[in-house]
Amino acid sequence: MTLRCGIVGLPNVGKSTIFNAITAAGAQAANFPFCTIDPNIGVVPVPDPRLERIHAFVETERVVPAELEVVDIAGLVRGASKGEGLGNRFLGHIKEVEAVLHVVRCFEDDEVIHVDGRLDAVADVEIVETELALADLDTLERALDRTARKARAGDKTAGAETEVFEKVRAHLEAGGQARSLDLSAREAAFLRPLFLLTAKPVLYVANVGENEAARPEENPEFRRLAAHAEATSAGIVTLSGKIEGEFAELDPEEREAFLAEAGLEEAGLDRLVREAYHLLGLRTFFTAGPKEIHAWTFREGARAPQAAGVIHSDFEKKFIRAEIHSIEDLETHGGEAAIRAAGKLRVEGKDYLMRDGDVAHFLIGS
């Protein structure tokens, strides 16, 4: 399971620089608007130190991390919902991703032109989110035309849909985003086929200056953005695109010293990818054997057969049971045989809810 996050934001906020650092894919990065027209796509590993913890006790030929797909989408501008700046194409690309990584400029640099000639992180966010809301309002109007006709003909489901769509429309018109609206499971199900842009989970990526990467709270634009994130049900992570770009070009043996000099415990991009992974409601289980130790992605709330189906679709259909242990059990007892002998190997059936960090072996029928 590889899901997509889309990197969005105004032009010249550092989207492509950050994308390049994440993926080393060589996306074009330059100091003019609309540098990125067609989206660049990269698949990146999800940093997870638990893989090496397992590897310390299990000899294997290879270690395979979980993956996340990242899409670099061109910068939006005011009027994108009406087609300005190739807006319709860009909005269409956002519709195709499961979550949004919204890069927001929080750094001063006279050599990098701001599209509006000023530094105001929250104003930048509001430009982008207004355009997304306007696009969603257009989608809702079309949906309401359809459901209202069906409701007048006596379709009770259409009547319930109409109520939900009107509720969301009013929320957007009041300046809200669909993701911050408290909806029941039934209401959310009605909304899902519309693929509303403002319903997607959002992680703000505060792109700060080099000297602020280790102390972002000293940056007033970051503080304002963090308050906005809390008020609008969004996550936030900070990094310096310039530092991350330099870090990505270093040899592995040079990276630790580089981070220490910058006052950082880990690369900001590692935090970004992990936060994006969790933003999507994704969790990880592991399989471990002589051929490979593999991190597998599942959605929070998945049961054991669904998790088995991530490895191969037939595994879900032919699932019999799962044998589960924790990484802590592995570290305590030293191997699966010892875990079994200690009575710590759990046998779970079809109703077992998978937990983040489970080490699993699935028994499958013929």
Side-chain angles (χ1 to χ4, degrees), residues 210-223:
E210 291 176 271
N211 297 329
E212 300 163 328
R215 299 178 302 279
E217 66 281 355
E218 296 179 3
N219 181 314
E221 291 301 317
F222 166 75
R223 294 198 299 270

mmCIF file with all atom_site columns, all heavy atoms in Angstrom, residues 210-223:
data_model
loop_
_atom_site.group_PDB
_atom_site.id
_atom_site.type_symbol
_atom_site.label_atom_id
_atom_site.label_alt_id
_atom_site.label_comp_id
_atom_site.label_asym_id
_atom_site.label_entity_id
_atom_site.label_seq_id
_atom_site.pdbx_PDB_ins_code
_atom_site.Cartn_x
_atom_site.Cartn_y
_atom_site.Cartn_z
_atom_site.occupancy
_atom_site.B_iso_or_equiv
_atom_site.pdbx_formal_charge
_atom_site.auth_seq_id
_atom_site.auth_comp_id
_atom_site.auth_asym_id
_atom_site.auth_atom_id
_atom_site.pdbx_PDB_model_num
ATOM 1   N N   . GLU A 1 210 ? 17.724 29.194 7.893  1.00 0.00 ? 210 GLU A N   1
ATOM 2   C CA  . GLU A 1 210 ? 18.746 28.269 8.398  1.00 0.00 ? 210 GLU A CA  1
ATOM 3   C C   . GLU A 1 210 ? 18.991 28.438 9.890  1.00 0.00 ? 210 GLU A C   1
ATOM 4   O O   . GLU A 1 210 ? 19.168 27.463 10.617 1.00 0.00 ? 210 GLU A O   1
ATOM 5   C CB  . GLU A 1 210 ? 20.062 28.499 7.653  1.00 0.00 ? 210 GLU A CB  1
ATOM 6   C CG  . GLU A 1 210 ? 20.052 28.086 6.207  1.00 0.00 ? 210 GLU A CG  1
ATOM 7   C CD  . GLU A 1 210 ? 21.364 28.436 5.536  1.00 0.00 ? 210 GLU A CD  1
ATOM 8   O OE1 . GLU A 1 210 ? 21.482 29.558 5.003  1.00 0.00 ? 210 GLU A OE1 1
ATOM 9   O OE2 . GLU A 1 210 ? 22.275 27.581 5.557  1.00 0.00 ? 210 GLU A OE2 1
ATOM 10  N N   . ASN A 1 211 ? 19.014 29.684 10.357 1.00 0.00 ? 211 ASN A N   1
ATOM 11  C CA  . ASN A 1 211 ? 19.334 29.948 11.755 1.00 0.00 ? 211 ASN A CA  1
ATOM 12  C C   . ASN A 1 211 ? 18.172 29.671 12.696 1.00 0.00 ? 211 ASN A C   1
ATOM 13  O O   . ASN A 1 211 ? 18.332 29.768 13.917 1.00 0.00 ? 211 ASN A O   1
ATOM 14  C CB  . ASN A 1 211 ? 19.786 31.406 11.921 1.00 0.00 ? 211 ASN A CB  1
ATOM 15  C CG  . ASN A 1 211 ? 21.055 31.709 11.153 1.00 0.00 ? 211 ASN A CG  1
ATOM 16  O OD1 . ASN A 1 211 ? 21.905 30.836 10.981 1.00 0.00 ? 211 ASN A OD1 1
ATOM 17  N ND2 . ASN A 1 211 ? 21.195 32.941 10.693 1.00 0.00 ? 211 ASN A ND2 1
ATOM 18  N N   . GLU A 1 212 ? 17.001 29.336 12.131 1.00 0.00 ? 212 GLU A N   1
ATOM 19  C CA  . GLU A 1 212 ? 15.812 29.121 12.955 1.00 0.00 ? 212 GLU A CA  1
ATOM 20  C C   . GLU A 1 212 ? 15.369 27.657 12.981 1.00 0.00 ? 212 GLU A C   1
ATOM 21  O O   . GLU A 1 212 ? 14.417 27.317 13.678 1.00 0.00 ? 212 GLU A O   1
ATOM 22  C CB  . GLU A 1 212 ? 14.663 29.982 12.429 1.00 0.00 ? 212 GLU A CB  1
ATOM 23  C CG  . GLU A 1 212 ? 14.969 31.470 12.460 1.00 0.00 ? 212 GLU A CG  1
ATOM 24  C CD  . GLU A 1 212 ? 14.031 32.269 11.571 1.00 0.00 ? 212 GLU A CD  1
ATOM 25  O OE1 . GLU A 1 212 ? 13.593 31.724 10.530 1.00 0.00 ? 212 GLU A OE1 1
ATOM 26  O OE2 . GLU A 1 212 ? 13.731 33.418 11.924 1.00 0.00 ? 212 GLU A OE2 1
ATOM 27  N N   . ALA A 1 213 ? 16.065 26.815 12.223 1.00 0.00 ? 213 ALA A N   1
ATOM 28  C CA  . ALA A 1 213 ? 15.629 25.423 12.091 1.00 0.00 ? 213 ALA A CA  1
ATOM 29  C C   . ALA A 1 213 ? 15.599 24.703 13.433 1.00 0.00 ? 213 ALA A C   1
ATOM 30  O O   . ALA A 1 213 ? 14.699 23.903 13.703 1.00 0.00 ? 213 ALA A O   1
ATOM 31  C CB  . ALA A 1 213 ? 16.529 24.675 11.110 1.00 0.00 ? 213 ALA A CB  1
ATOM 32  N N   . ALA A 1 214 ? 16.583 24.988 14.300 1.00 0.00 ? 214 ALA A N   1
ATOM 33  C CA  . ALA A 1 214 ? 16.649 24.320 15.602 1.00 0.00 ? 214 ALA A CA  1
ATOM 34  C C   . ALA A 1 214 ? 15.780 25.010 16.646 1.00 0.00 ? 214 ALA A C   1
ATOM 35  O O   . ALA A 1 214 ? 15.475 24.422 17.685 1.00 0.00 ? 214 ALA A O   1
ATOM 36  C CB  . ALA A 1 214 ? 18.097 24.267 16.090 1.00 0.00 ? 214 ALA A CB  1
ATOM 37  N N   . ARG A 1 215 ? 15.370 26.273 16.373 1.00 0.00 ? 215 ARG A N   1
ATOM 38  C CA  . ARG A 1 215 ? 14.565 27.029 17.333 1.00 0.00 ? 215 ARG A CA  1
ATOM 39  C C   . ARG A 1 215 ? 13.420 27.738 16.611 1.00 0.00 ? 215 ARG A C   1
ATOM 40  O O   . ARG A 1 215 ? 13.347 28.977 16.590 1.00 0.00 ? 215 ARG A O   1
ATOM 41  C CB  . ARG A 1 215 ? 15.436 28.049 18.061 1.00 0.00 ? 215 ARG A CB  1
ATOM 42  C CG  . ARG A 1 215 ? 16.584 27.440 18.864 1.00 0.00 ? 215 ARG A CG  1
ATOM 43  C CD  . ARG A 1 215 ? 17.440 28.500 19.525 1.00 0.00 ? 215 ARG A CD  1
ATOM 44  N NE  . ARG A 1 215 ? 17.994 29.422 18.542 1.00 0.00 ? 215 ARG A NE  1
ATOM 45  C CZ  . ARG A 1 215 ? 19.073 29.167 17.800 1.00 0.00 ? 215 ARG A CZ  1
ATOM 46  N NH1 . ARG A 1 215 ? 19.710 28.012 17.921 1.00 0.00 ? 215 ARG A NH1 1
ATOM 47  N NH2 . ARG A 1 215 ? 19.512 30.056 16.923 1.00 0.00 ? 215 ARG A NH2 1
ATOM 48  N N   . PRO A 1 216 ? 12.506 26.992 15.989 1.00 0.00 ? 216 PRO A N   1
ATOM 49  C CA  . PRO A 1 216 ? 11.451 27.622 15.188 1.00 0.00 ? 216 PRO A CA  1
ATOM 50  C C   . PRO A 1 216 ? 10.526 28.514 16.000 1.00 0.00 ? 216 PRO A C   1
ATOM 51  O O   . PRO A 1 216 ? 9.932  29.446 15.463 1.00 0.00 ? 216 PRO A O   1
ATOM 52  C CB  . PRO A 1 216 ? 10.693 26.431 14.605 1.00 0.00 ? 216 PRO A CB  1
ATOM 53  C CG  . PRO A 1 216 ? 10.987 25.288 15.527 1.00 0.00 ? 216 PRO A CG  1
ATOM 54  C CD  . PRO A 1 216 ? 12.388 25.522 15.993 1.00 0.00 ? 216 PRO A CD  1
ATOM 55  N N   . GLU A 1 217 ? 10.419 28.239 17.311 1.00 0.00 ? 217 GLU A N   1
ATOM 56  C CA  . GLU A 1 217 ? 9.522  29.043 18.136 1.00 0.00 ? 217 GLU A CA  1
ATOM 57  C C   . GLU A 1 217 ? 9.970  30.505 18.223 1.00 0.00 ? 217 GLU A C   1
ATOM 58  O O   . GLU A 1 217 ? 9.175  31.379 18.607 1.00 0.00 ? 217 GLU A O   1
ATOM 59  C CB  . GLU A 1 217 ? 9.419  28.443 19.551 1.00 0.00 ? 217 GLU A CB  1
ATOM 60  C CG  . GLU A 1 217 ? 10.690 28.477 20.365 1.00 0.00 ? 217 GLU A CG  1
ATOM 61  C CD  . GLU A 1 217 ? 11.690 27.378 20.011 1.00 0.00 ? 217 GLU A CD  1
ATOM 62  O OE1 . GLU A 1 217 ? 11.347 26.510 19.174 1.00 0.00 ? 217 GLU A OE1 1
ATOM 63  O OE2 . GLU A 1 217 ? 12.801 27.383 20.572 1.00 0.00 ? 217 GLU A OE2 1
ATOM 64  N N   . GLU A 1 218 ? 11.205 30.790 17.836 1.00 0.00 ? 218 GLU A N   1
ATOM 65  C CA  . GLU A 1 218 ? 11.683 32.172 17.831 1.00 0.00 ? 218 GLU A CA  1
ATOM 66  C C   . GLU A 1 218 ? 11.227 32.928 16.587 1.00 0.00 ? 218 GLU A C   1
ATOM 67  O O   . GLU A 1 218 ? 11.391 34.146 16.504 1.00 0.00 ? 218 GLU A O   1
ATOM 68  C CB  . GLU A 1 218 ? 13.210 32.197 17.927 1.00 0.00 ? 218 GLU A CB  1
ATOM 69  C CG  . GLU A 1 218 ? 13.744 31.623 19.243 1.00 0.00 ? 218 GLU A CG  1
ATOM 70  C CD  . GLU A 1 218 ? 15.256 31.638 19.315 1.00 0.00 ? 218 GLU A CD  1
ATOM 71  O OE1 . GLU A 1 218 ? 15.888 32.161 18.359 1.00 0.00 ? 218 GLU A OE1 1
ATOM 72  O OE2 . GLU A 1 218 ? 15.803 31.131 20.310 1.00 0.00 ? 218 GLU A OE2 1
ATOM 73  N N   . ASN A 1 219 ? 10.670 32.211 15.626 1.00 0.00 ? 219 ASN A N   1
ATOM 74  C CA  . ASN A 1 219 ? 10.206 32.824 14.380 1.00 0.00 ? 219 ASN A CA  1
ATOM 75  C C   . ASN A 1 219 ? 8.740  33.232 14.549 1.00 0.00 ? 219 ASN A C   1
ATOM 76  O O   . ASN A 1 219 ? 7.873  32.372 14.725 1.00 0.00 ? 219 ASN A O   1
ATOM 77  C CB  . ASN A 1 219 ? 10.361 31.809 13.237 1.00 0.00 ? 219 ASN A CB  1
ATOM 78  C CG  . ASN A 1 219 ? 9.934  32.357 11.897 1.00 0.00 ? 219 ASN A CG  1
ATOM 79  O OD1 . ASN A 1 219 ? 8.882  32.970 11.771 1.00 0.00 ? 219 ASN A OD1 1
ATOM 80  N ND2 . ASN A 1 219 ? 10.738 32.118 10.876 1.00 0.00 ? 219 ASN A ND2 1
ATOM 81  N N   . PRO A 1 220 ? 8.426  34.541 14.464 1.00 0.00 ? 220 PRO A N   1
ATOM 82  C CA  . PRO A 1 220 ? 7.034  34.968 14.682 1.00 0.00 ? 220 PRO A CA  1
ATOM 83  C C   . PRO A 1 220 ? 6.064  34.422 13.642 1.00 0.00 ? 220 PRO A C   1
ATOM 84  O O   . PRO A 1 220 ? 4.894  34.164 13.947 1.00 0.00 ? 220 PRO A O   1
ATOM 85  C CB  . PRO A 1 220 ? 7.109  36.499 14.632 1.00 0.00 ? 220 PRO A CB  1
ATOM 86  C CG  . PRO A 1 220 ? 8.393  36.808 13.917 1.00 0.00 ? 220 PRO A CG  1
ATOM 87  C CD  . PRO A 1 220 ? 9.324  35.692 14.243 1.00 0.00 ? 220 PRO A CD  1
ATOM 88  N N   . GLU A 1 221 ? 6.530  34.235 12.412 1.00 0.00 ? 221 GLU A N   1
ATOM 89  C CA  . GLU A 1 221 ? 5.639  33.688 11.382 1.00 0.00 ? 221 GLU A CA  1
ATOM 90  C C   . GLU A 1 221 ? 5.295  32.231 11.691 1.00 0.00 ? 221 GLU A C   1
ATOM 91  O O   . GLU A 1 221 ? 4.159  31.791 11.478 1.00 0.00 ? 221 GLU A O   1
ATOM 92  C CB  . GLU A 1 221 ? 6.284  33.800 9.997  1.00 0.00 ? 221 GLU A CB  1
ATOM 93  C CG  . GLU A 1 221 ? 6.415  35.218 9.497  1.00 0.00 ? 221 GLU A CG  1
ATOM 94  C CD  . GLU A 1 221 ? 5.072  35.927 9.408  1.00 0.00 ? 221 GLU A CD  1
ATOM 95  O OE1 . GLU A 1 221 ? 4.089  35.314 8.944  1.00 0.00 ? 221 GLU A OE1 1
ATOM 96  O OE2 . GLU A 1 221 ? 5.000  37.104 9.827  1.00 0.00 ? 221 GLU A OE2 1
ATOM 97  N N   . PHE A 1 222 ? 6.274  31.493 12.202 1.00 0.00 ? 222 PHE A N   1
ATOM 98  C CA  . PHE A 1 222 ? 5.985  30.112 12.602 1.00 0.00 ? 222 PHE A CA  1
ATOM 99  C C   . PHE A 1 222 ? 4.962  30.082 13.732 1.00 0.00 ? 222 PHE A C   1
ATOM 100 O O   . PHE A 1 222 ? 4.037  29.264 13.718 1.00 0.00 ? 222 PHE A O   1
ATOM 101 C CB  . PHE A 1 222 ? 7.262  29.386 13.043 1.00 0.00 ? 222 PHE A CB  1
ATOM 102 C CG  . PHE A 1 222 ? 6.975  28.103 13.771 1.00 0.00 ? 222 PHE A CG  1
ATOM 103 C CD1 . PHE A 1 222 ? 6.552  26.978 13.088 1.00 0.00 ? 222 PHE A CD1 1
ATOM 104 C CD2 . PHE A 1 222 ? 7.075  28.045 15.160 1.00 0.00 ? 222 PHE A CD2 1
ATOM 105 C CE1 . PHE A 1 222 ? 6.249  25.801 13.767 1.00 0.00 ? 222 PHE A CE1 1
ATOM 106 C CE2 . PHE A 1 222 ? 6.769  26.870 15.841 1.00 0.00 ? 222 PHE A CE2 1
ATOM 107 C CZ  . PHE A 1 222 ? 6.361  25.754 15.140 1.00 0.00 ? 222 PHE A CZ  1
ATOM 108 N N   . ARG A 1 223 ? 5.115  30.961 14.711 1.00 0.00 ? 223 ARG A N   1
ATOM 109 C CA  . ARG A 1 223 ? 4.175  30.972 15.837 1.00 0.00 ? 223 ARG A CA  1
ATOM 110 C C   . ARG A 1 223 ? 2.753  31.266 15.361 1.00 0.00 ? 223 ARG A C   1
ATOM 111 O O   . ARG A 1 223 ? 1.791  30.647 15.814 1.00 0.00 ? 223 ARG A O   1
ATOM 112 C CB  . ARG A 1 223 ? 4.612  31.995 16.887 1.00 0.00 ? 223 ARG A CB  1
ATOM 113 C CG  . ARG A 1 223 ? 5.931  31.661 17.577 1.00 0.00 ? 223 ARG A CG  1
ATOM 114 C CD  . ARG A 1 223 ? 6.097  32.441 18.866 1.00 0.00 ? 223 ARG A CD  1
ATOM 115 N NE  . ARG A 1 223 ? 6.101  33.889 18.645 1.00 0.00 ? 223 ARG A NE  1
ATOM 116 C CZ  . ARG A 1 223 ? 7.185  34.611 18.400 1.00 0.00 ? 223 ARG A CZ  1
ATOM 117 N NH1 . ARG A 1 223 ? 8.368  34.019 18.310 1.00 0.00 ? 223 ARG A NH1 1
ATOM 118 N NH2 . ARG A 1 223 ? 7.109  35.914 18.233 1.00 0.00 ? 223 ARG A NH2 1
#
